Amino acid sequence: MPPLIQNFDEAILLWIQDVIRNPVLTPIMQFFTSLLDRGLLAFLICIGLLLFRRTRKLGLTCSLSLIICSVLVHLILKPMFARPRPYHVLSTLITLAPRPGDFSFPSGHTNTIFAVTSVLFFACPRKIGIPALIVSTLVGLSRLYLGIHFPTDVLAGALLGLIVGYFCCKATHILSSHTKRKDRKN
């Protein structure tokens, strides 16, 4: 990262540690991070949607977004940027969660949940989409609070998840419209 961004990221993490962290908030943030350990919540949302015929198309769209994001983040971007985790860079940073062994940029937890919930936001009524994005945002913030990611890692993970989710929704809509027109002709 450019030094200006790196310094900004480090200052935010240390500010969170020194000003925001407290005994009440810590277990809440650990809970939100744990929702995405091994992608569990995102995977369960996809499976739950795929089980029912009425939500199957939505489940396929969520699954497609999740797969694309996982490949982009874990197989391409993390190895390409090879950004060290904050606790490797900041000797005064205290982590409050298990320390992952992979690279930091972009945040996989944040990207995974945004990959799925962005589809819910773009394809579902706001009463579903907005709470989904709120949970996603809390997962991202939990990664900062616990000292596991830099702010730009979380921001990049969220933006990538939103963009991929949006395009997956558009692609599904186009394919669905094309299929319906084709069925009407026959």
Side-chain angles (χ1 to χ4, degrees), residues 19-39:
V19 177
I20 305 293
R21 282 186 183 173
N22 66 70
V24 174
L25 205 48
T26 297
I28 294 168
M29 290 299 168
Q30 289 169 329
F31 168 75
F32 277 103
T33 278
S34 72
L35 290 175
L36 267 294
D37 288 346
R38 309 238 187 275

Side-chain angles (χ1 to χ4, degrees), residues 15 73 76:
W15 178 80
V73 167
I76 299 171

Side-chain angles (χ1 to χ4, degrees), residues 22-170:
N22 66 70
V24 174
L25 205 48
T26 297
I28 294 168
M29 290 299 168
Q30 289 169 329
F31 168 75
F32 277 103
T33 278
S34 72
L35 290 175
L36 267 294
D37 288 346
R38 309 238 187 275
L40 183 62
L41 180 61
F43 182 72
L44 290 175
I45 291 169
C46 291
I47 295 297
L49 292 169
L50 288 168
L51 288 176
F52 302 99
R53 185 174 193 188
R54 186 173 165 209
T55 58
R56 195 161 290 143
K57 184 170 100 175
L58 183 61
L60 287 169
T61 307
C62 287
S63 299
L64 176 63
S65 181
L66 180 60
I67 291 166
I68 291 169
C69 279
S70 294
V71 168
L72 285 172
V73 167
H74 297 288
L75 299 180
I76 299 171
L77 296 175
K78 279 189 184 263
M80 183 171 76
F81 286 98
R83 187 180 196 187
R85 295 274 180 171
Y87 45 81
H88 293 301
V89 176
L90 292 166
S91 60
T92 58
L93 183 68
I94 299 165
T95 56
L96 301 176
R99 294 178 167 197
D102 63 345
F103 295 116
S104 194
F105 184 87
S107 169
H109 275 65
T110 307
N111 178 258
T112 298
I113 193 64
F114 270 94
V116 173
T117 59
S118 65
V119 171
L120 298 178
F121 179 77
F122 293 122
C124 294
R126 295 296 176 235
K127 66 182 180 184
I128 294 170
I130 290 173
L133 285 186
I134 289 170
V135 169
S136 297
T137 301
L138 290 170
V139 169
L141 291 173
S142 75
R143 304 304 281 168
L144 302 176
Y145 182 92
L146 300 171
I148 303 300
H149 277 289
F150 292 108
T152 51
D153 302 341
V154 170
L155 183 61
L159 287 174
L160 182 62
L162 284 166
I163 291 166
V164 171
Y166 175 79
F167 282 110
C168 286
C169 285
K170 286 294 182 191

